[in-house]
């Protein structure tokens, strides 16, 4: 109750500071986003904020088709080495800088060269981007890349003001300047992010809210309580256990969509001193931990049967899933045998997890299961942005973390499993996996690509730098006054056409 009261007070404070605006939309987030710089960022909730803050070159439909946003059209050369994009000519950034081909070139160059950029591996195929007209940009590729349009429909395609990027450098993360329908106003860490409608947006008439207020509230119970009390208008990632109550509440609306991503436990196999124990150095220990876990029980106990058990970066419902290697059953005896083979009669490890009730309950279930196989897990509850910092720094044995998923399969595996991948916090490295995943990017033949992903996953299921656990369903709850919301498989909140009645 203490936490609930505190959150209500904070929300009331926000309401008072924004009372001059007739139509605010208050959105409850499960975590606080990391850096609000599209090149440095890596969190799912950050992408939710960026969806309103930063236009992209390409967007998607609910059916995962690619559609124009800042780019009006694009065409490939026959050899797949050149991509030409035509751009809108009626766009300006929030600071008044014109959006044009030169701005796209500046953004691509920054994503590829900024030392802190996490977009490098996503754009690795791009040798150069050139302004071949005021509103035409040409991408020259070192090799064909079937994933590039998908990359440009996400953070690699989000456009920052080149003026602001040059002036602010890494500080742009604290004062981002894009060209989206809403512009940045303020951020108070662990409290709120406030955006204000940008009157100069080319599609401003489709956006009805004067301000967006994003409020990180990790406790799912508190988040829902604030929605019911009217202190929130919408929340993302409703706890599955609360879905029946929300459906039954005449004052609330509910939306759901199967996600593209996964959740699992990332293992530190080569990221500094913490990788030097048996868990990081002996794949048999990782295999034993995986065998000790009953993924179907997790789905029923923690997620009310609303999610899907998983053992690969792609869900069993995905066309990219390797059906010849289904989710393995729990086998405690086999887990114990693997530990014995590794010369261990037991092992103690620490796994960090986000400090929200759902992820902590998940890890408590995993903890109880692992204990029966002789694996003693201590759980370190960590604020989410800090959890990611600890991963990057190598300060972890295991980390319960996931990925929101991408429209192209490459987005669920390449950055995590290639030696130089921008999101490879385990620091797993295999020349064979690199070759397979890099080759999969070159082909536009789905069957050929799938064969390569299947071959890579055979190696990864043996090495287990990530122990995959489940694939979630995105669940949203909102006031019944919120009208026009469409659920997307990527979990984003798109506000064009959304109103408050």
């Amino acid at each position: 109750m203490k936490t609930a009261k505190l959150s209500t007070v904070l929300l009331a404070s926000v309401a008072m500071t924004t009372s001059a605006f007739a139509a605010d939309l208050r959105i409850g987030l499960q975590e606080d986003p990391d850096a609000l710089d599209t090149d440095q960022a890596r969190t799912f909730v950050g992408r939710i904020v960026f969806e309103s803050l930063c236009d992209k070159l390409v967007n998607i439909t609910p059916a995962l088709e690619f559609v124009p946003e800042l780019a009006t059209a694009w065409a490939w050369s026959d050899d797949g080495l050149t991509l030409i994009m035509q751009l809108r000519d009626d766009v300006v950034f929030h600071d008044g800088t014109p959006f044009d081909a030169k701005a796209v070139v500046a953004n691509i160059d920054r994503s590829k060269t900024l030392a802190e950029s996490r977009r490098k591996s996503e754009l690795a195929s791009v040798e150069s981007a050139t302004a071949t007209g005021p509103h035409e940009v040409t991408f020259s590729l070192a090799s064909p890349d079937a994933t590039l349009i998908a990359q440009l429909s996400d953070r690699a395609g989000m456009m920052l003001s080149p003026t602001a990027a040059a002036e602010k450098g890494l500080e742009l993360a604290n004062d981002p300047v894009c060209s989206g329908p809403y512009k940045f106003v303020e951020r108070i860490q662990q409290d709120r992010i406030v955006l204000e409608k940008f009157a100069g947006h080319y599609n401003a008439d489709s956006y009805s809210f004067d301000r967006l207020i994003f409020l990180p509230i990790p406790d799912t119970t508190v988040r829902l309580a604030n929605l019911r009390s009217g202190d929130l208008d919408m929340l993302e990632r409703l706890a599955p256990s609360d879905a029946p109550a929300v459906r039954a509440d005449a004052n609330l609306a509910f939306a759901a969509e199967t996600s593209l991503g996964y959740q699992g436990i990332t293992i530190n196999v080569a990221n500094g001193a913490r990788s030097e124990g048996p868990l990081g150095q002996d794949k048999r220990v990782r295999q034993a931990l995986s065998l000790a876990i009953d993924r179907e029980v997790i789905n029923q106990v923690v997620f009310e049967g609303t999610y899907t058990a998983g053992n690969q970066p792609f869900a069993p419902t995905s066309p990219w899933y390797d059906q010849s290697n289904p989710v393995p059953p729990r086998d405690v005896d086999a887990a114990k045998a693997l530990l014995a083979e590794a010369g261990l009669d037991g092992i103690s490890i620490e796994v960090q997890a986000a400090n929200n009730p759902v992820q902590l309950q998940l890890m408590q279930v995993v903890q109880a299961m692992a204990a029966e196989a002789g694996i003693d897990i201590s759980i370190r509850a960590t604020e989410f942005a800090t959890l990611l910092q600890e991963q990057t720094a190598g300060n972890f044995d295991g980390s319960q973390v996931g990925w929101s998923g991408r429209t192209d399969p490459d987005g669920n595996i390449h950055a995590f499993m290639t030696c130089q991948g921008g999101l490879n916090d385990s620091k797993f490295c295999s020349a064979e996996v690199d070759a397979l995943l890099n080759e999969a990017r070159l082909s536009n033949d789905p069957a050929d690509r799938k064969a390569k992903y299947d071959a890579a996953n055979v190696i990864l299921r043996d090495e287990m730098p990530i122990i995959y656990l489940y694939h979630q369903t995105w669940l949203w709850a909102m006031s019944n006054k919120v009208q026009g919301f469409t659920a997307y498989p990527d979990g984003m909140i798109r506000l064009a056409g959304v109103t408050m009645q």
Side-chain angles (χ1 to χ4, degrees):
M1 291 301 296
K2 183 178 180 181
T3 306
K5 290 178 180 176
L6 177 59
S7 294
T8 301
V9 169
L10 291 173
L11 289 168
S13 173
V14 172
M16 287 188 291
T17 62
T18 60
S19 59
F21 290 85
D24 296 345
L25 185 71
R26 297 157 298 178
I27 301 172
L29 303 177
Q30 184 165 294
E31 300 105 12
D32 194 32
D34 61 344
L36 292 181
D37 176 340
T38 56
D39 283 324
Q40 299 182 65
R42 62 179 294 173
T43 60
F44 172 72
V45 283
R47 290 174 64 217
I48 292 176
V49 175
F50 286 138
E51 188 62 41
S52 294
L53 181 66
C54 302
D55 286 331
K56 305 182 290 290
L57 292 171
V58 180
N59 212 327
I60 62 169
T61 69
L64 302 179
E65 300 166 323
F66 296 114
V67 292
E69 190 162 294
L70 290 175
T72 58
W74 53 87
W76 287 98
S77 62
D78 290 341
D79 61 7
L81 295 177
T82 303
L83 171 67
I84 300 176
M85 280 190 158
Q86 307 301 324
L87 308 173
R88 297 189 70 98
D89 60 4
D90 56 353
V91 178
V92 294
F93 292 99
H94 299 152
D95 61 359
T97 300
F99 169 77
D100 54 18
K102 291 180 180 178
V104 174
V105 170
N107 272 268
I108 298 301
D109 287 348
R110 183 178 192 263
S111 295
K112 288 180 63 64
T113 61
L114 184 72
E116 294 79 7
S117 174
R118 295 184 180 276
R119 311 282 80 86
K120 291 178 182 177
S121 63
E122 298 168 7
L123 297 171
S125 65
V126 178
E127 284 193 326
S128 65
T130 306
T132 47
H135 294 93
E136 179 184 276
V137 61
T138 298
F139 294 83
S140 298
L141 277 61
S143 55
D145 184 356
T147 77
L148 184 57
I149 296 299
Q151 305 292 8
L152 297 177
S153 74
D154 201 349
R155 283 173 293 210
M158 293 178 182
M159 297 289 104
L160 300 165
S161 164
T163 303
E167 291 176 353
K168 299 175 187 293
L170 296 180
E171 288 303 309
L172 188 68
N174 300 317
D175 187 16
V177 182
C178 293
S179 67
Y182 291 88
K183 61 184 179 180
F184 181 79
V185 175
E186 68 170 343
R187 178 180 192 174
I188 300 175
Q189 295 282 349
Q190 308 301 323
D191 183 356
R192 64 183 180 266
I193 295 170
V194 180
L195 308 183
E196 181 179 294
K197 186 173 179 178
F198 177 47
H201 190 261
Y202 66 88
N203 194 28
D205 289 347
S206 295
Y207 295 87
S208 65
F209 302 104
D210 293 325
R211 284 198 177 193
L212 307 181
I213 305 167
F214 297 95
L215 295 141
I217 307 174
D219 191 308
T220 54
T221 302
V222 174
R223 204 156 68 246
L224 180 56
N226 280 313
L227 178 66
R228 283 183 162 142
S229 70
D231 289 322
L232 289 176
D233 302 306
M234 173 186 286
L235 62 83
E236 56 92 19
R237 280 178 289 177
L238 176 74
S241 58
D242 290 327
V246 169
R247 285 192 181 102
D249 191 329
N251 295 315
L252 300 180
F254 173 82
E257 184 63 52
T258 302
S259 81
L260 302 171
Y262 62 81
Q263 288 280 330
I265 300 174
T266 295
I267 307 298
N268 185 350
V269 301
N271 192 352
R274 290 287 292 270
S275 70
E276 295 173 2
L279 180 69
Q281 296 303 304
D282 195 328
K283 66 183 180 182
R284 293 170 296 187
V285 179
R286 302 191 289 275
Q287 292 168 356
L289 176 56
S290 178
L291 284 169
I293 298 170
D294 191 322
R295 292 157 171 82
E296 293 294 348
V297 167
I298 286 174
N299 183 35
Q300 296 302 322
V301 171
V302 184
F303 304 115
E304 304 289 324
T306 61
Y307 289 2
T308 302
N311 67 322
Q312 299 176 33
F314 320 119
T317 55
S318 167
W320 301 100
Y321 185 80
D322 181 2
Q323 299 289 347
S324 68
N325 288 282
V327 176
R330 188 185 190 214
D331 192 334
V332 174
D333 289 338
K336 290 179 177 178
L338 281 168
L339 288 180
E341 186 180 317
L344 302 167
D345 57 6
I347 185 174
S348 296
I349 62 174
E350 179 188 79
V351 177
Q352 63 172 357
N355 63 339
N356 68 71
V358 174
Q359 305 319 121
L360 293 177
Q361 183 188 7
L362 163 68
M363 278 310 306
Q364 287 162 1
V365 173
V366 171
Q367 182 185 52
M369 292 175 174
E372 295 181 17
I375 301 172
D376 177 25
I377 296 177
S378 62
I379 303 169
R380 173 159 52 109
T382 309
E383 186 274 322
F384 188 66
T386 302
L387 177 146
L388 296 178
Q389 292 170 1
E390 295 285 80
Q391 275 188 202
T392 300
N395 186 26
F396 72 106
D397 300 334
S399 184
Q400 196 290 295
V401 72
W403 181 242
S404 54
R406 296 296 182 268
T407 53
D408 188 279
D410 178 88
N412 278 24
I413 189 169
H414 192 282
F416 300 92
M417 295 301 182
T418 52
C419 296
Q420 301 301 318
L423 299 173
N424 184 0
D425 290 334
S426 75
K427 299 305 180 187
F428 169 80
C429 185
S430 161
E432 187 175 359
V433 169
D434 270 27
L436 288 164
L437 296 184
N438 288 334
E439 288 167 8
R441 285 182 157 185
L442 304 180
S443 175
N444 286 311
D445 179 353
D448 179 56
R449 294 187 75 196
K450 186 176 186 305
K452 290 180 169 60
Y453 290 126
D454 287 351
N457 276 317
V458 169
I459 299 169
L460 296 171
R461 279 194 302 277
D462 180 56
E463 294 287 347
M464 287 201 170
I466 296 178
I467 298 173
Y468 299 99
L469 298 177
Y470 65 91
H471 306 272
Q472 69 191 92
T473 298
W474 301 127
L475 305 175
W476 294 269
M478 64 204 80
S479 164
N480 63 3
K481 296 178 182 179
V482 175
Q483 303 289 312
F485 174 74
T486 299
Y488 277 67
D490 63 359
M492 296 298 100
I493 296 174
R494 291 171 170 83
L495 294 174
V498 178
T499 61
M500 184 86 77
Q501 300 297 323

